[in-house]
Amino acid sequence: MNSNPLSTRLAGLELRNPTALASGILGYSPESLQRIAEAGAGAVVTKSVGLTPRVGYPNPTVVQANCGIINAMGLPNPGIAEYASEIRYAKTVLTVPFIVSVYGYSAEEYAAVAKAAATAGADAVELNVSCPHVKETGSEIGQNPKLLTQVIRQVKAATSKPVIVKLSPNVTDIVEIAQAASAAGADALTAVNTVRAIAIDAETALPILSNTRGGLSGPAVKPIALRCVYDIYEKVKTPIIGCGGITTWKDAVEFILAGASAVQIGTALAQKNPAVFQTINRGITAYLKKKKYRSIKEIVGKAQRN
Ligand code: SIN
């Protein structure tokens, strides 16, 4: 019998608990990622890295909204050649599965970055096909089932490591996109990235973010993300990682009941502190005990009506 009720297995990765650090929150540093592992996360995901370095947008890149954060950083990153040595080092430091988020401007680029990340030691790659505002990458790929299929197929051909696909909520039918990703060979689906949003300063009468449009995360998007997970689980067999506004253990349990095998936490970390992982894991454990479940596996998708 499994003695750890929180352990979960997905996409070939063994997680000691279902909480993971979401991409984008803590950047790339192996030390800060390991601090999150020590604080209780079951896995960590880096900020997205591309084939070549990218400066990103000028400030302001982040703005506080009522129930969340709107960001448009513009995918700033050191490029995979530079980051590969950090990945090698991270593998000697990290005590939990290490997932490298990658993006590209073509299927070939996604495949090249994923291959380099995997070769350097990433335990899995998460494809960012859902950044809502950088041109010719992100959601411009993830909103198009044909392009998405090409990207996933090429990445799968380039590496034997698990391939997780992070989906955009900014689509008409997320199930159609999830089905395409699953058919192309995705090992897991992260649902979802940020919701397209804008903030305007009444004083200056201008948009606040330098890029004008950004992506909303945090409690404001939770019901949308939860619906995405529910809809995907109903129709698609590929394991799901829930992401979007998860702040409390109850949020995490709701995502698992909707169909997620694990959850990612991002904005809550920016707004609280790393203890959020332990607090959420303790709450899930207490919930399982109270409801007399032996493991979270018993409650994955339990809220589905059919
Ligand atoms: C950014 O770097 O602007 C955010 C990336 C994302 O939302 O995927």
Side-chain angles (χ1 to χ4, degrees):
M1 200 187 102
N2 181 4
S3 55
N4 174 6
L6 291 186
S7 71
T8 187
R9 186 181 160 81
L10 88 162
L13 302 173
E14 296 285 348
L15 272 59
R16 63 185 173 174
N17 69 61
T19 63
L21 170 70
S23 174
I25 297 299
L26 272 187
Y28 308 92
S29 145
E31 284 83 3
S32 49
L33 295 170
Q34 175 56 14
R35 270 201 296 281
I36 295 305
E38 281 162 14
V44 292
V45 188
T46 67
K47 184 154 176 62
S48 303
V49 62
L51 195 57
T52 54
R54 200 181 134 92
V55 176
Y57 306 139
N59 283 327
T61 53
V62 180
V63 56
Q64 184 77 44
N66 272 352
C67 295
I69 291 175
I70 308 175
N71 90 83
M73 320 268 288
L75 296 170
N77 78 96
I80 190 64
E82 169 85 19
Y83 191 51
S85 57
E86 291 283 292
I87 297 175
R88 280 190 284 275
Y89 172 55
K91 276 305 288 172
T92 67
V93 173
L94 276 169
T95 51
V96 297
F98 177 40
I99 302 163
V100 174
S101 170
V102 308
Y103 76 91
Y105 295 96
S106 63
E108 290 73 24
E109 272 198 29
Y110 273 96
V113 183
K115 184 176 180 181
T119 306
D123 295 311
V125 292
E126 182 180 82
L127 306 184
N128 182 348
V129 288
S130 45
C131 172
H133 46 73
V134 175
K135 290 193 182 4
E136 293 172 26
T137 183
S139 58
E140 288 192 22
I141 288 169
Q143 287 167 342
N144 179 329
K146 260 195 193 151
L147 277 179
L148 181 63
T149 299
Q150 281 169 17
V151 166
I152 297 169
R153 286 208 178 129
Q154 290 223 22
V155 172
K156 287 291 292 178
T159 176
S160 56
K161 296 276 175 73
V163 176
I164 302 166
V165 178
K166 187 166 185 177
L167 301 175
S168 171
N170 306 304
V171 292
T172 307
D173 182 3
I174 197 165
V175 174
E176 181 197 2
I177 305 290
Q179 282 169 328
S182 176
D187 297 292
L189 304 170
T190 301
V192 286
N193 205 323
T194 54
V195 176
R196 261 168 89 77
I198 193 169
I200 289 176
D201 182 348
E203 218 40 62
T204 60
L206 285 170
I208 296 173
L209 296 169
S210 73
N211 185 60
T212 306
R213 293 170 186 81
L216 176 65
S217 60
V221 309
K222 191 197 114 182
I224 299 170
L226 194 59
R227 187 269 304 163
C228 289
V229 170
Y230 194 94
D231 284 356
I232 296 168
Y233 187 87
E234 222 176 7
K235 295 276 162 61
V236 180
K237 292 277 169 275
T238 305
I240 305 165
I241 305 169
C243 181
I246 296 160
T247 310
T248 66
W249 68 264
K250 226 181 218 170
D251 295 334
V253 164
E254 288 168 24
F255 272 82
I256 297 166
L257 292 170
S261 298
V263 294
Q264 291 183 357
I265 294 159
T267 304
L269 182 66
Q271 292 180 327
K272 295 186 172 185
N273 64 55
V276 68
F277 288 99
Q278 224 176 56
T279 310
I280 288 177
N281 282 318
R282 281 207 194 110
I284 302 173
T285 307
Y287 172 85
L288 293 176
K289 199 167 167 201
K290 183 172 151 217
K291 295 282 188 184
K292 301 197 170 20
Y293 295 117
R294 281 163 303 173
S295 131
I296 61 160
K297 294 176 195 87
E298 287 181 40
I299 65 164
V300 173
K302 208 168 167 51
Q304 296 278 335
R305 288 209 190 272
N306 42 29

